[in-house]
Amino acid sequence: MFSFLNKNQSTGEVEELQLDEANIPAHVAIIMDGNGRWAQQRHLPRIAGHKQGMDTVKTVATAASHLGVKVLTLYAFSTENWKRPTAEVNYLMKLPVDFFGAFVPDLIKNNIRVKVMGYTDKLPAATQKAVRDAIADTQHCTGMVLNFALNYGGRAEIVTAVQNLAEEVKAGRLDPSAIDEASIDQQLMTADLDELRDPDLLIRTSGEERLSNFMLWQVAYSEFVFTQQHWPDFDQTALEQAIYEYQQRHRRFGGL
Ligand SMILES: CCc1cc(N2CCCCCC2)n2ncc(-c3ccc(F)cc3)c2n1
């Protein structure tokens, strides 16, 4: 059992809650929202929120790994984020470079492997190199997979999958009647996660209750937990609270 202290929202009392170690979600996906608002509330530039948010990535990845999560997917940059101010996009594109220098040694100590899904060929060369280095330097790790969604969009992912299948049909290698859910699963960017492709739990921080084009196919059966704190304020306790909420919905009572 993992126990943690929780402030009861209705009574205000602090209570000790337990997580069921046998019911930890294998794949947790997080939409890391609220970085800009966190900064603005402190009269800081928006990029200060992104920088603080990167520290939260390390805290939450370490906590998830210790809890026994097998895949942690983080929505770091969407295909829509290119519309943000140029200065902010340029800053964001440097974060994987900073991450690689600052956090990869700690990830290796925690046996955490970095994976990235998205249209990374559209990223600046220095960003692509940092991503390749983070993947290469952690590929020997056998613990939790830390999967960054980078220049990722759920609809674009499905369009690419359909285009690939259409090419197979056009080449005479696939009959349309043979296309099923498994065929599409195999064309998605999560295919190499095998039976851990689909998030068991999707968390979105900062109060918004939207998917924002994230893993649209894979979250078909996921539990959604929306939390109020901005991503830079998210921490191990917030993760434990979200998993506790997930477990209340997935009460197994000893069954499967
Ligand atoms: C390129 C956009 C971006 C933004 C970002 N933020 C900003 C958004 C939300 C808060 C977290 C910090 N992070 N944090 C880690 C990475 C990262 C990505 C790939 C990789 F291989 C290693 C690290 C990252 N990438």
Side-chain angles (χ1 to χ4, degrees):
M1 280 286 182
F2 294 107
S3 62
F4 67 97
L5 296 179
N6 178 63
K7 184 174 181 183
N8 187 302
Q9 295 302 319
S10 46
T11 65
E13 287 172 6
V14 174
E15 56 197 353
E16 185 178 35
L17 297 177
Q18 266 79 35
L19 289 182
D20 176 0
E21 282 185 63
N23 192 13
I24 298 294
H27 185 165
V28 176
I30 305 180
I31 302 174
M32 306 183 285
D33 196 14
N35 301 283
R37 275 165 280 171
W38 180 90
Q40 284 165 343
Q41 285 172 359
R42 289 158 178 78
H43 309 294
L44 295 169
R46 285 174 54 84
I47 59 175
H50 297 315
K51 181 171 184 350
Q52 186 63 41
M54 202 162 72
D55 285 338
T56 303
V57 166
K58 185 183 164 234
T59 302
V60 172
T62 306
S65 172
H66 288 162
L67 287 169
V69 171
K70 296 192 180 341
V71 179
L72 176 66
T73 296
L74 301 177
Y75 203 6
F77 193 85
S78 80
T79 44
E80 288 71 40
N81 286 152
W82 296 107
K83 298 170 193 162
R84 290 188 176 176
T86 304
E88 184 174 343
V89 171
N90 290 342
Y91 178 85
L92 287 168
M93 288 297 122
K94 291 185 174 63
L95 286 180
V97 180
D98 299 344
F99 181 89
F100 179 61
F103 296 143
V104 165
D106 282 325
L107 294 180
I108 292 171
K109 275 189 208 133
N110 283 293
N111 196 26
I112 294 172
R113 177 161 68 91
V114 171
K115 179 186 173 306
V116 173
M117 66 177 188
Y119 297 91
T120 52
D121 56 316
K122 307 293 183 202
L123 300 172
T127 310
Q128 291 190 49
K129 181 182 185 310
V131 166
R132 281 196 306 273
D133 290 348
I135 293 168
D137 284 14
T138 61
Q139 68 180 2
H140 66 286
C141 296
T142 58
M144 186 182 81
V145 173
L146 177 55
N147 179 37
F148 287 102
L150 209 45
N151 195 25
Y152 170 88
R155 287 188 172 181
E157 181 188 29
I158 293 171
V159 167
T160 301
V162 170
Q163 286 172 339
N164 292 345
L165 290 172
E167 285 299 333
E168 290 291 290
V169 170
K170 185 178 173 183
R173 292 192 294 268
L174 178 66
D175 187 286
S177 62
I179 296 174
D180 57 10
E181 287 190 25
S183 315
I184 294 172
D185 261 331
Q186 283 157 10
Q187 296 296 333
L188 297 178
M189 296 175 180
T190 45
D192 59 352
L193 292 172
D194 300 322
E195 74 284 353
L196 298 174
R197 282 188 294 269
D198 299 342
D200 303 284
L201 168 60
L202 172 70
I203 298 167
R204 180 169 185 154
T205 60
S206 196
E208 304 297 342
E209 299 191 4
R210 296 189 298 271
L211 277 179
S212 298
N213 198 20
F214 188 48
M215 300 183 86
L216 300 177
W217 173 276
Q218 295 89 336
V219 297
Y221 301 100
S222 304
E223 290 294 342
F224 294 1
V225 171
F226 300 106
T227 70
Q228 290 310 307
Q229 63 275 85
H230 299 317
W231 175 249
D233 289 329
F234 199 81
D235 58 12
Q236 173 167 338
T237 299
L239 177 66
E240 289 165 341
Q241 287 168 333
I243 292 176
Y244 181 81
E245 170 63 30
Y246 164 86
Q247 294 188 339
Q248 303 321 296
R249 303 187 197 164
H250 268 244
R251 305 296 292 268
R252 286 186 180 167
F253 301 104
L256 287 178

